[in-house]
Amino acid sequence: MLISTLDITGYRGFAQEQTLHFAQPNGEVGSGLTIIVGPNNGGKSTIVESLRALSTSFDATDPIRFSEGKRNKASGDRVLFRVNTSSGDFLELRTVHGGGSETTLYAPGTIRSLNCYALLSRRFFFPQFEHGTETVPDRYNYQCRVGVPNTRSTAMKDFAEIRLLRAHRWNEEFDAVLGRIVDPVPHWTIEQSDEGKLYVRLNTEGTFHNSDGAGEGIVSLMFLVDSLYDSKPEDLIAIDEPELSLHPVYQRRLARLFAEYAKDRQIVLATHSPYFVDFEHIINGAEVARVHKGPGGCIISHLTRDTRRQLEGLLKNRDFPHLLGLEAREAFFQEDGIIVVEGQEDVVYYSMVFDQLVAEGDLLPHSAALIKERLFGWGAGGAGNIEKIVAILYDLGFEQVVAVFDQNERGRICKLQTKYPGYRFWSIPADDIRTKKEEKARATRGLLDEKKVIRPEVKADTARLFNDICEYLQS
């Protein structure tokens, strides 16, 4: 069962009805991703909470309730969630009376509740816990059991007792997914103290921690991996802020992992991290929705189909790839092992070279991905700048750095190798990354002259332009 849309009215900041469109997986990488972006307090977490509410058990003896602080007064103090499926079926969860907390489920079709594994952003569990139930529930029944916490800072109820104990029994499957993000995979097990309490014990390269001392990033990864490893095609997974406490390298690996799973699953990510937005995935079918505040409350805005087509044109622009790229200073947050190349063309065309080598069986896909993720920004801006970049990395304590020159610049290698003996410097077997036709130079009279100074005759108009821009931005 694939979900097509979610309507939200009256919950937290959503005073007026807003609709979120879900991506439909089609077998392409990233096609089932729905990426929710937007500012803090814009409403992203509210969407994940609403999916969590819809996936909660609707037992008449203990129905879900919406407290006064969660109901939006501007919408008549009433909450309404509605999901529509791709087959035309729908499910509604709504408050019974205006001003009241009680809810009712309206399910006229075949679905009775939403089978969604939803992770809220505050992902932690108590360091010590008890044995779970004798019959371990599956992922759907677990979500029904935990419900929606009263506050966002609440520990994840029963996660360790139920989900981690299950993952421990199926540790090969769990660790195989964890290994796609963390290398080497930390060895973890469930231990019991002399007082009879259970706790998670981790061994990372000979260093032992319990779950309390493992670091928030590793704990968060255990939740994230748990949401994926036993999922099935057409499952719906929603995660609020998957990037929390994670190193940028882990974020990028996790983003690739989500994209792989999204070939045949629906994965909703509410995020502040640019690593989880990939324009290739959007072209493949991924949805990007921006949630932000307007005069009447939270608003959900989507990319149109026309915009998607324009994105495809931008991706084909080999001359200005930085239009959709991250800044080079991202490298300062990388793990060791940075690769510096001469310029932006190298970054683009090396990627094409890697893909061809993989297709011919001359390079492993894992090796190509490893190189791509370690390239420094959009190059150094020329062979002469490589030494400057290498010096920065050296001062920052990077132990592994690679620089790749064009063949006609290989005369620089000897000096650099002597100065930085722990690094490696190579050149490709050609004078440039691509063959270029000779072109006649054309003079362009720019805003800046040859000395990079604004020309006097355009200075006043330039000042006026940027003052107008500032005035607009401050209005």
Side-chain angles (χ1 to χ4, degrees), residues 326-449:
L326 293 174
E327 294 184 357
R329 57 189 176 200
E330 172 201 350
F332 301 151
F333 302 92
Q334 285 276 34
E335 288 182 333
D336 221 324
I338 307 297
I339 303 172
V340 186
V341 295
E342 290 190 15
Q344 64 181 25
E345 286 184 342
D346 301 78
V347 174
V348 173
Y349 286 97
Y350 278 136
S351 181
M352 298 172 63
V353 170
F354 301 151
D355 292 341
Q356 293 175 38
L357 292 175
V358 168
E360 296 294 331
D362 295 319
L363 187 67
L364 294 175
H366 172 74
S367 299
L370 183 67
I371 296 172
K372 289 179 182 180
E373 77 174 20
R374 292 171 184 262
L375 288 171
F376 176 86
W378 291 106
N385 287 336
I386 287 183
E387 183 172 359
K388 301 173 185 177
I389 303 301
V390 169
I392 293 172
L393 297 172
Y394 180 82
D395 287 346
L396 291 174
F398 285 83
E399 295 182 356
Q400 288 184 311
V401 173
V402 171
V404 181
F405 291 90
D406 292 339
Q407 184 171 254
N408 58 359
E409 296 287 351
R410 65 184 304 172
R412 302 175 182 270
I413 291 179
C414 184
K415 174 187 173 183
L416 290 172
Q417 193 67 76
T418 301
K419 190 173 182 178
Y420 304 102
Y423 295 174
R424 294 293 179 268
F425 304 88
W426 282 287
S427 67
I428 60 173
D431 287 344
D432 203 298
I433 188 61
R434 67 184 178 113
T435 301
K436 300 176 182 178
K437 296 180 179 179
E438 291 186 2
E439 298 179 354
K440 294 182 179 179
R442 293 181 298 175
T444 302
R445 193 168 177 79
L447 183 72
L448 304 174
D449 63 18

Side-chain angles (χ1 to χ4, degrees), residues 16 22 35 59-60 120 182 262 420 448 451-452:
Q16 302 174 359
F22 288 77
I35 310 297
D59 190 336
L120 306 183
V182 183
Y420 304 102
L448 304 174
K451 296 181 179 179
K452 305 298 186 293

Side-chain angles (χ1 to χ4, degrees), residues 147-168:
V148 179
N150 293 326
T151 62
R152 289 177 172 175
S153 59
T154 304
M156 301 292 281
K157 181 182 177 184
D158 296 335
F159 175 77
E161 292 91 332
I162 294 176
R163 292 298 295 176
L164 273 188
L165 282 172
R166 186 185 191 282
H168 191 239

Side-chain angles (χ1 to χ4, degrees), residues 59-84:
D59 190 336
T61 62
D62 187 24
I64 189 169
R65 297 176 177 86
F66 296 119
S67 62
E68 183 179 8
K70 295 179 180 179
R71 303 193 306 271
N72 193 300
K73 300 298 185 291
S75 65
D77 214 21
R78 304 188 68 176
V79 176
L80 172 63
F81 298 148
R82 172 176 172 140
V83 289
N84 299 283

Side-chain angles (χ1 to χ4, degrees), residues 90-372:
F90 74 92
L91 175 76
E92 283 187 356
L93 173 64
R94 55 194 179 192
T95 50
V96 178
H97 301 292
S101 60
E102 302 305 298
T103 62
T104 184
L105 181 69
Y106 182 52
T110 59
I111 59 172
R112 291 293 177 267
S113 62
L114 182 65
N115 186 356
C116 174
Y117 193 106
L119 274 181
L120 306 183
S121 61
R122 275 67 168 183
R123 294 183 284 273
F124 68 96
F125 55 89
F126 294 118
Q128 293 188 335
F129 50 92
E130 305 285 347
H131 281 281
T133 57
E134 292 185 5
T135 303
V136 179
D138 59 20
R139 57 193 284 123
Y140 167 63
N141 287 313
Y142 164 72
Q143 285 280 287
C144 291
R145 173 172 173 161
V146 297
V148 179
N150 293 326
T151 62
R152 289 177 172 175
S153 59
T154 304
M156 301 292 281
K157 181 182 177 184
D158 296 335
F159 175 77
E161 292 91 332
I162 294 176
R163 292 298 295 176
L164 273 188
L165 282 172
R166 186 185 191 282
H168 191 239
R169 296 188 181 102
W170 300 88
N171 67 308
E172 290 187 6
E173 290 84 350
F174 185 92
D175 287 354
V177 178
L178 182 60
R180 297 281 302 275
I181 308 167
V182 183
D183 184 21
V185 179
H187 179 266
W188 68 279
T189 187
I190 304 292
E191 271 288 5
Q192 180 171 309
S193 68
D194 292 338
E195 292 77 21
K197 296 288 188 178
L198 300 181
Y199 65 94
V200 179
R201 186 171 186 263
L202 295 107
N203 177 4
T204 305
E205 297 181 348
T207 302
F208 293 88
H209 301 282
N210 60 21
S211 53
D212 190 37
E216 294 181 0
I218 293 297
V219 171
S220 181
L221 279 176
M222 299 188 84
F223 281 96
L224 296 170
V225 171
D226 179 71
S227 72
L228 295 174
Y229 87 101
D230 63 346
S231 64
K232 297 178 177 58
E234 296 197 3
D235 274 358
L236 175 61
I237 302 165
I239 301 173
D240 189 17
E241 298 188 75
E243 70 272 13
L244 285 183
S245 301
L246 294 184
H247 190 283
V249 168
Y250 289 169
Q251 292 184 44
R252 292 204 292 189
R253 293 173 184 172
L254 185 62
R256 288 200 298 268
L257 187 64
F258 283 141
E260 286 294 323
Y261 274 82
K263 288 179 178 179
D264 56 12
R265 294 160 175 80
Q266 290 184 299
I267 299 179
V268 180
L269 303 175
T271 180
H272 291 285
S273 173
Y275 296 114
F276 294 95
V277 180
D278 190 304
F279 293 99
E280 293 280 7
H281 300 160
I282 296 173
I283 291 172
N284 289 344
E287 288 277 357
V288 174
R290 181 171 179 262
V291 186
H292 51 102
K293 287 289 183 67
C298 296
I299 299 172
I300 301 177
S301 303
H302 294 83
L303 290 179
T304 65
R305 291 185 178 180
D306 287 341
T307 302
R308 290 170 185 268
R309 285 193 286 267
Q310 293 178 42
L311 282 175
E312 190 168 4
L314 286 176
L315 285 176
K316 292 179 180 178
N317 189 336
R318 302 296 184 182
D319 294 324
F320 298 100
H322 55 276
L323 288 172
L324 303 179
L326 293 174
E327 294 184 357
R329 57 189 176 200
E330 172 201 350
F332 301 151
F333 302 92
Q334 285 276 34
E335 288 182 333
D336 221 324
I338 307 297
I339 303 172
V340 186
V341 295
E342 290 190 15
Q344 64 181 25
E345 286 184 342
D346 301 78
V347 174
V348 173
Y349 286 97
Y350 278 136
S351 181
M352 298 172 63
V353 170
F354 301 151
D355 292 341
Q356 293 175 38
L357 292 175
V358 168
E360 296 294 331
D362 295 319
L363 187 67
L364 294 175
H366 172 74
S367 299
L370 183 67
I371 296 172
K372 289 179 182 180

